[in-house]
Amino acid sequence: MKNKTLLIISREYLTRIQKKSFIIITILMPVLLVAMIVLPALLMVMSEKKQFSNVLVVDESEIFINNFVDNDHYAFTYQSGDIEQIKKEAFEQDYDVVLQILPNTQSLKANIFYKKNLPSGLQSTVENQMDDIFFNQLLRDSLHVEPAKFDQLKQLTKAEAVTIQIDDKGSEKEHDASVNQLFGMGCGLVIYFIIIMFASQVLRGVLEEKTNRIVEVLISSVKPMQLLIGKIVGIALVGLTQLVIWIVLSTAILGGIQLLAPTLFSTESVETLAETPGVNVPDTSSLTTAPSNIFEMIQNYFSVSFVTIILCFFFYFIVGYLIYSTLYAATGSVVDNESDSQQYTMPITLPLLLAIIFLPSISTNPDGTLAFWLSLIPLTSPIAMMIRLPSGVPAWELALSMGLALGFLVFSIWFSAKVYRIGILNYGNKPSWKTIFRWLRE
């Protein structure tokens, strides 16, 4: 029996990993994952290297003449006269932008004229400088307060709140809770798509063998339970292989990027970026140990060990896949085509869909009642618990969730084996739920 089961597992595994679709997805997914991590940081760093622009200011309000501050990206010069004539001459010369400040009535208004591309950050820079210049003038004229003195008072009264989480051991860790929420949502979505993708492969495999009558030949040599176990385990190994390759390739690519660009994810690049006009970055001055590379940065994001997250991800992938694949295999055994299987798969898939529907609620309130119960129910826990985990989950809740999932897995295997044993050789009629439950007693 053991050798026959291993033979079926080997067949299912080798057949699928040799497909072009498997190779393409396996290589493409890590690239997309790394791109999601690296591109935002790369674009932020590149944004500081903006093209230098000459801005010609036509100040019809006569408030801002010689008051704009030049920087590494913009240089301001001033001219008065007819705006139409000035625009025509400016674009024929070396000016990239013409800034027309309208006469001051009740509010400050300006027009920014450009011919090719509007320099990135120019609009926000102009608006911010206009606000500061006009406000400083009001301070002097109306309140008789010097702007430098006012800025000093603002710095003395500036408040700063830092989010620090305390774990069960009393250790304190500073991190951004929104990152935990986004990462948890991402883990939940990945678990959902992986479970659906590989469980559907089990369903289609069972249906294909039953429709082509191959199963009759196989059953003559192996027992239905051997065939069921071999198919499920074989496809599970395909999924695990894919996950391991994704993790190894992603780590290798991130490590390579860290070697080639060691300052890309360091605080130095953030400090440099903070000087870029129009770009707001978080203040890292309060960090006691600022991350110096991408791996430290990733670890500092989460309330629990990143290794714990990865191990739990594998656990919920395996258990979630086994639960749904066994139920999908039972579904495939009782129908003759894929369209008929929708009647039986919808009640099975509905809990997963509910977990996805409530995904925003779980991520924003990971300790709420809804999140707690969905992370315990075995049909929803693979998604709900992975959403909650990056924000921190009590050990007893995690253990209870895993225990209930394993217990339900035993039940689903027993249920599917009973249905599969009879349904796989049942042709020509679609059994009712009443008939299926009668098979359980046989």
Side-chain angles (χ1 to χ4, degrees):
M1 176 179 177
K2 182 179 179 180
N3 291 335
K4 291 181 179 179
T5 304
L6 291 176
L7 185 62
I8 297 171
I9 293 173
S10 175
R11 172 184 172 273
E12 294 290 337
Y13 179 79
L14 294 176
T15 300
R16 283 171 168 77
I17 65 170
Q18 293 173 1
K19 291 182 178 179
K20 291 182 179 179
S21 58
F22 173 86
I23 298 173
I24 293 173
I25 294 176
T26 302
I27 296 175
L28 188 61
M29 187 62 71
V31 175
L32 294 176
L33 178 63
V34 172
M36 291 173 61
I37 297 174
V38 173
L39 282 181
L42 185 61
L43 290 175
M44 289 176 66
V45 173
M46 292 177 61
S47 66
E48 64 176 295
K49 301 177 182 179
K50 297 177 183 174
Q51 181 180 1
F52 187 83
S53 301
N54 290 307
V55 181
L56 181 60
V57 180
V58 181
D59 183 9
E60 298 177 2
S61 70
E62 299 184 352
I63 297 176
F64 303 93
I65 296 176
N66 298 324
N67 284 327
F68 283 99
V69 179
D70 296 345
N71 54 40
D72 294 337
H73 307 283
Y74 315 114
F76 298 90
T77 55
Y78 304 85
Q79 187 173 336
S80 59
D82 179 64
I83 185 63
E84 297 300 327
Q85 183 64 28
I86 290 176
K87 284 192 296 183
K88 181 179 179 181
E89 294 176 355
F91 290 125
E92 290 177 353
Q93 301 174 17
D94 294 332
Y95 292 101
D96 305 293
V97 174
V98 174
L99 171 62
Q100 178 194 18
I101 302 176
L102 302 178
N104 182 32
T105 53
Q106 294 182 346
S107 60
L108 298 177
K109 291 186 178 180
N111 296 323
I112 299 175
F113 299 97
Y114 65 96
K115 207 162 189 180
K116 295 181 179 179
N117 296 312
L118 180 66
S120 176
L122 174 64
Q123 183 177 356
S124 60
T125 299
V126 168
E127 291 174 347
N128 292 336
Q129 290 207 32
M130 287 180 65
D131 289 341
D132 291 340
I133 294 168
F134 191 62
F135 184 76
N136 290 341
Q137 179 174 316
L138 290 177
L139 283 176
R140 292 191 186 96
D141 297 345
S142 301
L143 301 178
H144 307 292
V145 177
E146 285 298 318
K149 184 66 175 178
F150 180 80
D151 291 339
Q152 184 180 4
L153 290 173
K154 280 180 64 178
Q155 289 298 322
L156 292 174
T157 58
K158 186 177 181 181
E160 181 181 2
V162 178
T163 56
I164 300 174
Q165 187 175 37
I166 303 175
D167 60 20
D168 296 335
K169 299 179 181 178
S171 301
E172 298 181 357
K173 187 175 184 180
E174 179 182 342
H175 69 89
D176 188 350
S178 61
V179 176
N180 290 345
Q181 294 175 5
L182 290 174
F183 186 79
M185 292 173 66
C187 287
L189 288 172
V190 170
I191 284 281
Y192 170 78
F193 285 114
I194 288 178
I195 288 176
I196 291 297
M197 179 174 64
F198 288 109
S200 298
Q201 288 187 26
V202 174
L203 172 64
R204 287 192 293 269
V206 172
L207 274 173
E208 181 182 353
E209 291 175 354
K210 182 175 180 179
T211 303
N212 296 335
R213 304 279 178 155
I214 298 175
V215 70
E216 296 179 5
V217 178
L218 295 174
I219 292 298
S220 64
S221 303
V222 298
K223 295 180 180 179
M225 190 64 179
Q226 290 177 279
L227 184 59
L228 176 63
I229 293 174
K231 184 172 292 295
I232 291 174
V233 174
I235 296 177
L237 291 176
V238 173
L240 283 174
T241 301
Q242 208 161 43
L243 282 176
V244 170
I245 294 175
W246 286 346
I247 293 173
V248 171
L249 285 180
S250 299
T251 305
I253 295 173
L254 289 173
I257 292 174
Q258 183 64 46
L259 290 174
L260 295 174
T263 61
L264 181 61
F265 297 96
S266 66
T267 53
E268 294 179 3
S269 61
V270 175
E271 292 170 357
T272 304
L273 181 62
E275 301 173 359
T276 304
V279 179
N280 296 320
V281 297
D283 181 18
T284 59
S285 59
S286 61
L287 290 175
T288 54
T289 55
S292 60
N293 61 65
I294 187 172
F295 299 105
E296 291 182 18
M297 183 183 71
I298 291 173
Q299 179 58 53
N300 284 349
Y301 277 152
F302 308 113
S303 303
V304 297
S305 167
F306 192 66
V307 175
T308 301
I309 295 176
I310 294 296
L311 293 176
C312 289
F313 184 90
F314 272 97
F315 173 84
Y316 281 107
F317 159 69
I318 295 171
V319 174
Y321 161 77
L322 291 176
I323 289 174
Y324 279 92
S325 62
T326 52
L327 296 176
Y328 268 47
T331 299
S333 68
V334 300
V335 296
D336 294 330
N337 55 73
E338 194 165 350
S339 60
D340 289 340
S341 67
Q342 300 300 320
Q343 174 186 341
Y344 299 100
T345 56
M346 181 53 67
I348 300 171
T349 312
L350 186 60
L352 276 181
L353 294 176
L354 287 176
I356 293 297
I357 291 172
F358 290 119
L359 187 146
S361 300
I362 299 171
S363 63
T364 54
N365 188 16
D367 295 323
T369 303
L370 177 66
F372 172 78
W373 287 108
L374 288 179
S375 62
L376 293 185
I377 299 173
L379 289 174
T380 57
S381 61
I383 293 178
M385 185 55 79
M386 286 308 305
I387 297 173
R388 297 180 60 200
L389 194 60
S391 299
V393 176
W396 72 268
E397 289 186 23
L398 182 60
L400 180 59
S401 173
M402 290 181 170
L404 291 174
L406 290 173
F408 189 80
L409 173 59
V410 174
F411 166 78
S412 63
I413 292 174
W414 171 82
F415 174 86
S416 300
K418 286 280 189 178
V419 174
Y420 184 87
R421 179 173 56 88
I422 299 175
I424 197 66
L425 297 176
N426 182 60
Y427 294 96
N429 65 317
K430 188 168 60 175
S432 63
W433 285 103
K434 183 178 179 180
T435 302
I436 292 175
F437 284 113
R438 191 178 69 245
W439 291 350
L440 300 179
R441 299 192 297 268
E442 297 180 5

